[in-house]
């Protein structure tokens, strides 16, 4: 085999599941599809990949066989691989997903993705990064050693896997355990929240491209109002999120004064509460009909007094806000405790009396460590470090 042929053989396949329209056009051009057909063909593939959920090129019945054959030599429709699936007694599912390796020595990143069925919706909580650089004091994800951004395809891949698994594409079959919403017109995945691992605003380009794919009317067709991006307060990126994505915003507030927020959410030292709330006031599209959600984790004797509740109400005055009280979810080694139920009720009553709906988010999937802030994939520190070193040495080798 010539060097060039062996290089071509070793080339990683182009991944079309999760690809943007531009990437699909480029793949078609690369296999020699006629230039004048590129856009039309890309639309056909788009429909098969995102509307029909095709997992094999052979299923694409209205596309000529020779084109499909060429495409399948160079491209793949593979999704992230499900390493484990855990199903909670309440129907919450947590998947550990392995992302396809980017090069022959890459083992591929592992991330977690959680599905939460409710009577009127099914919410998929997706990750935007492997790990998180921000180290919030109460969050398990922040303790992960390895951090890297996910690509747009890897973010969209989480939705594709969930829809495959839940039988949510045309002709799909729901799992037999009866824990997935069904019935006329029911969509298993109706909502997506960026509340898994990672800080979405530190990976905004990929998050934006993923949202464009998820909301495309010829494909997955999710409504922008049913997608929520949660940030710990990356102030300089918030306007761009509103302008370029137009999705709902959630802000992880958790404290009403800078001294405490500096401790709980260290990013506060860079972007303190007043700058964060100003960015919320300026958030494009925020209105009483499209309120910003403020997340507030209930930590025993830390931020849960009646005075804290009153301070919260004062702080948010005039903002189109919803307040989401999250009972703290403990994880092995965490030093916080969840507030008592009576304390949460008293807190929520003060907030409610001030005119805010303040649903207390019922902890879901606690038995499988799938609740907020409990996510941490199995990648161990050593393995992560070894992989980083390998990747670095490969990068050097390519110079
Ligand atoms: N990084 C983003 C999004 C992911 S975290 C952010 O921080 O907003 C999603 C939500 O879970 C955030 O509000 C986060 O503060 C909260 N959270 C993290 N750890 C938690 C825990 N152990 N118990 C309850 N909520 C937690
Ligand atoms: Fe990162 Fe969000 Fe966890 Fe903070 S709460 S460490 S920003 S994932």
């Amino acid at each position: 085999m010539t060097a060039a042929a062996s290089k071509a053989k070793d080339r990683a396949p182009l991944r079309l599941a999760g690809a943007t329209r531009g990437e699909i056009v480029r793949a078609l051009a690369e296999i020699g599809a006629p230039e004048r057909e590129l856009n039309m063909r890309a639309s056909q593939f788009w429909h098969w990949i995102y509307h029909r959920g095709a997992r094999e090129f052979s299923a694409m019945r209205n596309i000529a066989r020779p084109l499909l054959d060429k495409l399948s030599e160079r491209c793949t429709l593979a999704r992230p691989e499900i390493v484990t699936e855990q199903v909670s007694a309440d129907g919450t599912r947590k998947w550990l997903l392995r992302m396809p390796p980017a090069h022959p020595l890459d083992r591929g990143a592992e991330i977690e993705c959680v599905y939460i069925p409710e009577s009127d919706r099914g919410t998929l909580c997706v990750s935007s990064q492997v790990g998180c650089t921000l180290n919030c004091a109460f969050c398990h994800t922040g303790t992960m050693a390895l951090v890297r951004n996910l690509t747009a395809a890897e973010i969209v891949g989480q939705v594709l896997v969930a829809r495959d698994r839940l039988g949510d594409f045309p002709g799909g079959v729901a799992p037999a355990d009866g824990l997935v919403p069904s019935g006329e017109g029911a969509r298993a995945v109706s909502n997506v929240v960026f509340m898994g691992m990672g800080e979405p605003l530190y990976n905004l380009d990929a998050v934006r491209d993923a949202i464009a794919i998820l909301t495309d009317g010829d494909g997955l067709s999710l409504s922008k109002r049913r997608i929520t991006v949660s940030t710990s307060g990356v102030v300089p990126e918030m306007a761009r999120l509103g302008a370029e994505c137009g999705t709902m915003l959630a802000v992880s507030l958790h404290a009403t004064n800078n001294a405490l927020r500096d401790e709980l959410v260290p990013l506060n030292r860079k972007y303190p509460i007043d700058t964060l709330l100003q960015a919320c006031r300026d958030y494009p599209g925020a209105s009483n009909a499209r309120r910003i959600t403020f997340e507030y984790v209930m930590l025993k004797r830390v931020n849960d007094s009646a005075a804290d509740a009153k301070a919260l109400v004062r702080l948010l005055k005039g903002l189109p806000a919803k307040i989401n009280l999250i009972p703290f979810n403990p994880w092995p080694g965490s030093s916080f405790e969840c507030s008592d139920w009576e304390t949460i009720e008293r807190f929520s009553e003060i907030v409610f009396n001030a005119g805010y709906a303040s649903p207390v988010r019922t902890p879901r999937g606690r038995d499988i460590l799938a609740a907020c802030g409990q996510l941490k994939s199995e990648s161990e520190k050593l393995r992560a470090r070894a992989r980083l070193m390998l990747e670095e040495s490969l990068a050097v080798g390519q110079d």
Side-chain angles (χ1 to χ4, degrees):
M1 201 185 295
T2 65
S6 114
K7 199 170 171 203
K9 190 167 172 287
D10 290 343
R11 268 185 317 181
L14 297 174
R15 304 198 155 264
L16 296 190
T20 60
R21 270 180 201 273
E23 286 163 346
I24 297 177
V25 166
R26 278 196 291 282
L28 286 163
E30 197 178 315
I31 61 155
E35 171 113 33
R36 64 190 142 68
E37 285 181 15
L38 288 179
N39 287 334
M40 181 272 288
R41 291 283 177 218
S43 294
Q44 283 180 319
F45 282 109
W46 186 270
H47 183 83
W48 277 109
I49 296 168
Y50 295 120
H51 183 78
R52 308 289 289 265
R55 280 188 264 180
E56 307 286 340
F57 289 106
S58 57
M60 303 177 173
R61 290 184 304 276
N62 60 348
I63 301 178
R65 170 77 36 198
L67 180 61
L68 291 180
D69 288 346
K70 265 203 217 155
L71 207 62
S72 55
E73 276 168 26
R74 181 70 188 97
C75 306
T76 170
L77 292 168
R79 280 86 156 105
E81 174 198 350
I82 298 182
V83 181
T84 55
E85 176 186 66
Q86 288 171 278
V87 185
S88 159
D90 66 16
T92 300
R93 280 164 203 270
K94 180 168 85 167
W95 294 289
L96 176 66
L97 301 180
R98 184 175 301 134
M99 298 302 167
H103 50 72
L105 289 178
D106 176 17
R107 293 200 46 195
E110 285 176 359
I111 56 106
E112 282 165 353
C113 177
V114 177
Y115 174 68
I116 306 150
E118 286 168 280
S119 57
D120 61 340
R121 69 184 69 182
T123 303
L124 190 71
C125 176
V126 298
S127 294
S128 54
Q129 296 184 306
V130 185
C132 185
T133 49
L134 287 175
N135 293 315
C136 296
F138 49 85
C139 176
H140 201 195
T141 305
T143 66
M144 276 180 72
L146 177 74
V147 181
R148 83 151 168 88
N149 283 335
L150 293 178
T151 63
E154 289 169 332
I155 296 170
V156 173
Q158 298 169 58
V159 179
L160 296 176
V161 165
R163 293 196 61 179
D164 289 343
R165 181 69 193 112
L166 299 170
D168 207 19
F169 279 116
V173 181
D177 52 30
L179 292 169
V180 176
S182 57
E184 189 96 2
R187 280 185 81 169
V189 179
S190 59
N191 293 49
V192 170
V193 294
F194 284 79
M195 294 185 186
M197 293 176 168
E199 170 49 57
L201 297 199
Y202 274 171
N203 187 17
L204 188 50
D205 287 350
V207 166
R208 176 203 56 209
D209 290 350
I211 289 171
I213 295 173
L214 298 179
T215 55
D216 187 292
D218 295 332
L220 292 159
S221 282
L222 278 154
S223 153
K224 286 190 172 179
R225 302 193 57 154
R226 288 175 172 268
I227 299 181
T228 302
V229 177
S230 174
T231 180
S232 57
V234 184
V235 167
E237 299 290 355
M238 285 169 61
R240 195 152 83 83
L241 173 74
E244 295 181 17
C245 304
T247 42
M248 306 299 281
L249 173 68
V251 172
S252 296
L253 191 61
H254 307 317
T256 56
N257 62 73
N258 284 323
L260 179 58
R261 197 163 188 271
D262 281 351
E263 293 304 311
L264 298 180
V265 184
L267 187 65
N268 194 68
R269 294 175 203 156
K270 215 163 167 189
Y271 310 116
I273 292 176
D274 54 337
T275 60
L276 176 58
L277 294 183
Q278 190 54 47
C280 291
R281 285 191 193 90
D282 298 340
Y283 187 71
S287 67
N288 282 337
R290 304 191 66 184
R291 291 167 187 270
I292 297 171
T293 300
F294 288 89
E295 295 159 285
Y296 195 95
V297 63
M298 298 298 296
L299 302 168
K300 191 176 199 163
R301 285 192 290 274
V302 174
N303 65 354
D304 62 353
S305 70
D308 289 318
K310 289 178 192 149
L312 179 61
V313 167
R314 269 200 307 278
L315 200 61
L316 298 184
K317 201 157 187 256
L319 266 160
K322 277 192 288 200
I323 297 170
N324 203 339
L325 301 179
I326 316 175
F328 169 65
N329 287 308
W331 37 273
S334 60
S335 54
F336 294 97
E337 282 177 75
C338 182
S339 309
D340 303 323
W341 194 247
E342 306 80 71
T343 312
I344 298 181
E345 268 182 346
R346 191 185 52 189
F347 196 107
S348 128
E349 206 170 289
I350 295 170
V351 170
F352 180 79
N353 288 339
Y356 293 100
S358 60
V360 179
R361 196 189 287 168
T362 338
R364 300 289 304 259
R366 262 194 183 175
D367 51 342
I368 55 167
L369 277 189
C372 302
Q374 290 180 309
L375 302 182
K376 174 170 171 167
S377 63
E378 306 297 305
S379 328
E380 290 152 32
K381 292 192 177 189
L382 196 66
R383 241 167 67 195
R385 211 173 299 134
R387 189 159 64 215
L388 259 185
M389 281 169 61
L390 250 180
E391 284 175 358
E392 270 164 14
S393 64
L394 271 174
V396 171
Q398 282 163 2
D399 282 346

